Amino acid sequence: MPKLIDEEYEKTGGFAALKKTITMKSGDVIAEVKKAKLLGRGGAAYPSGNKWEHLLHIHETPKYIVCNADEGEPGTFKDRLIMDKFPLKLLEGIIIAGFVFKAKAGYIYVRGEYRKIQKRLLEAIENTKTAGFLGQNILGTGFDFDIHIISGAGAYVCGENSALLNSTEGKVGRPRIKPPHLAEVGLFLQPTLVNNVESLANIPLIVSMGGDAFLEAGHPDSGGTKLICLSGHIRNRGVFEIPLGKVTLREVVYNPEFGGGITGDKKLKFFHLGGQSGPIGGEDLLDTVYSYTDLRKAGLSVGSGAIVVMDESVSILEYLKGVTEFFIHESCGKCVPCREGNRQLHKLLHRLSIPGAATPHNLHILRWIVHTMTDASFCGLGQTAAAALHSAWKHFKPEFEANVRHEGII
């Protein structure tokens, strides 16, 4: 009989948090999550403790636990690392959530491209069942709970929680109108908790060490550490764990323990935070502390944790055209501002990249479309699709204006 991977996990303290959870009241577990100030690690940064507390006070049953593992944000690959290297940590977090809410079942919605990861998770689930931490009568408590794997089909929009639930139900993966909130009407129209992979993987640690200790390890407004993904023109590409509020973006980019500097001894031109839907910053913002609060004050954001670094050889207009092409491809087409707005942005960016082809009026229309998409799009995809362009305008306005001709001059 093959050796259970749970045995190795248990030797290093694995499932200790679950064993502790079954001796606690649900409200006490949630109190620790609230004290930890765990902000959602998927991108929205919503306080996990508040989300859990909301669901606890909803009396309708059954309840469901859903893990959002549809990691489709370009430049982001930290959830893949967790699922591949620490699948039991994720499963323990989901089981703890299931016990807290006496949920009927848990679901992990995995990005369709992560085929090998799905097999890895299925193996971990079977081993966890065999070890008695999942399935029927978990740890003799009488609590029955199972976890199912759902495979996405490559749609970026299904990373939005309500679209993810529709896809899980076998429907078209398009966002739902809210309210009602998913905690009230979620999977199969039942109360549902939806959390990101990294968020749920932090739950066992919070239960074990306590919310206060977890908070102390990070920033006063957001506890713990954050997994960041470095890519682009940077020497050390990969996933790194950093304490929130303890390092600056400059350290992230240039410290040998993290990014190690720009490749080819070139200068940094800009960095793109949080994925394609995140803001762009220039060298003048490198001394910003990496925390949810400090980045927000600087007009930046943590987002998914992605940090794409670009050197001085990159044209900001060409880069933004690539970003817009991504959103044109991934828009679900449900609403006009997103579906048509991205197409028009791409046309205008193309015109701005040709000497003498654009006019000041084109710049005005570009800005107007950005604001319209942000204010009028149905879901977060459309509302943030132009975030990179909007922030780039602040830092690189001369590049937008470089090829603009004066009215009347051909």
Side-chain angles (χ1 to χ4, degrees):
M1 181 177 178
K3 188 176 183 179
L4 294 174
I5 55 176
D6 297 74
E7 294 177 4
E8 297 300 321
Y9 182 57
E10 281 191 86
K11 288 179 181 178
T12 58
F15 293 115
L18 176 60
K19 294 174 183 177
K20 181 178 179 180
T21 297
I22 64 175
T23 67
M24 301 171 64
K25 296 180 180 179
S26 295
D28 293 337
V29 175
I30 294 174
E32 294 301 321
V33 177
K34 291 191 72 174
K35 285 192 291 185
K37 294 186 179 179
L38 173 66
L39 301 185
R41 301 297 200 243
Y46 188 81
S48 297
N50 292 355
K51 182 183 286 190
W52 283 42
E53 188 174 52
H54 184 190
L55 183 62
L56 183 67
H57 294 314
I58 295 173
H59 300 295
E60 286 80 6
T61 57
K63 296 180 179 179
Y64 293 96
I65 310 299
V66 176
C67 172
N68 186 340
D70 189 59
E71 190 174 46
E73 192 71 67
T76 310
F77 36 88
K78 44 93 178 177
D79 288 346
R80 180 180 66 184
L81 177 72
I82 293 173
M83 291 185 285
D84 184 35
K85 303 299 183 183
F86 310 101
L88 296 175
K89 181 68 70 176
L90 172 61
L91 295 185
E92 185 176 8
I94 296 172
I95 299 168
I96 289 173
F99 187 84
V100 166
F101 298 108
K102 301 299 182 285
K104 182 176 182 178
Y107 292 83
I108 306 177
Y109 187 99
V110 186
R111 183 182 180 188
E113 292 84 348
Y114 287 175
R115 296 297 181 189
K116 292 182 179 180
I117 298 296
Q118 293 176 26
K119 294 179 180 179
R120 175 75 166 157
L121 289 172
L122 286 169
E123 177 189 6
I125 287 171
E126 289 305 312
N127 284 347
T128 304
K129 284 182 181 179
T130 304
F133 296 108
L134 187 63
Q136 302 294 312
N137 191 27
I138 297 174
L139 295 176
T141 61
F143 174 58
D144 301 335
F145 185 75
D146 205 352
I147 297 176
H148 309 280
I149 303 297
I150 303 294
S151 176
Y156 172 78
V157 72
C158 287
E160 196 275 339
N161 286 341
S162 64
L164 182 150
L165 295 186
N166 279 345
S167 179
T168 301
E169 294 174 4
K171 301 174 183 176
V172 175
R174 284 182 168 175
R176 302 178 185 178
I177 191 169
K178 295 184 282 291
H181 298 291
L182 302 184
E184 301 159 353
V185 183
L187 187 64
F188 309 127
L189 304 183
Q190 298 299 322
T192 303
L193 175 73
V194 186
N195 272 145
N196 170 259
V197 170
E198 188 182 354
S199 302
L200 286 164
N202 271 296
I203 295 300
L205 188 60
I206 292 172
V207 173
S208 296
M209 69 189 300
D212 290 330
F214 186 87
L215 177 62
E216 189 176 343
H219 187 274
D221 294 334
S222 49
T225 61
K226 180 74 184 78
L227 294 180
I228 59 171
C229 310
L230 293 179
S231 61
H233 298 146
I234 197 160
R235 295 182 187 279
N236 304 327
R237 303 181 187 95
V239 179
F240 299 85
E241 184 177 17
I242 63 171
L244 288 166
K246 304 293 195 297
V247 298
T248 65
L249 285 170
R250 187 178 299 278
E251 292 175 89
V252 169
V253 173
Y254 291 102
N255 191 314
E257 294 183 5
F258 303 121
I262 311 302
T263 55
D265 295 321
K266 293 184 178 180
K267 294 181 180 179
L268 178 142
K269 181 171 182 177
F270 65 89
F271 51 84
H272 195 177
L273 294 184
Q276 302 292 83
S277 58
I280 284 174
E283 190 173 9
D284 58 316
L285 295 175
L286 279 177
D287 291 317
T288 307
V289 174
Y290 194 92
S291 77
Y292 288 91
T293 303
D294 293 287
L295 289 176
R296 190 182 307 115
K297 288 179 180 178
L300 302 171
S301 68
V302 171
S304 63
I307 302 178
V308 179
V309 178
M310 293 285 107
D311 67 27
E312 57 192 335
S313 68
V314 178
S315 162
I316 191 68
L317 293 179
E318 291 301 318
Y319 182 83
L320 291 173
K321 282 164 67 176
V323 172
T324 308
E325 287 169 0
F326 171 78
F327 285 111
I328 289 172
H329 183 268
E330 295 297 342
S331 173
C332 75
K334 181 171 184 172
C335 71
V336 172
C338 177
R339 183 183 70 238
E340 300 302 327
N342 280 303
R343 295 180 184 277
Q344 297 306 315
L345 287 181
H346 189 270
K347 289 180 180 179
L348 288 167
L349 287 168
H350 177 68
R351 180 173 293 181
L352 287 167
S353 65
I354 302 174
T359 67
H361 181 66
N362 293 139
L363 283 177
H364 171 74
I365 294 298
L366 182 81
R367 302 292 298 140
W368 180 80
I369 292 175
V370 168
H371 289 295
T372 300
M373 290 175 61
T374 303
D375 295 339
S377 293
F378 185 83
C379 80
L381 187 151
Q383 291 163 12
T384 59
L389 197 160
H390 179 65
S391 55
W393 172 268
K394 299 177 182 178
H395 299 285
F396 302 99
K397 187 176 178 181
E399 285 197 44
F400 285 86
E401 299 174 333
N403 292 325
V404 175
R405 62 181 170 85
H406 295 293
E407 295 289 357
I409 299 178
I410 299 177

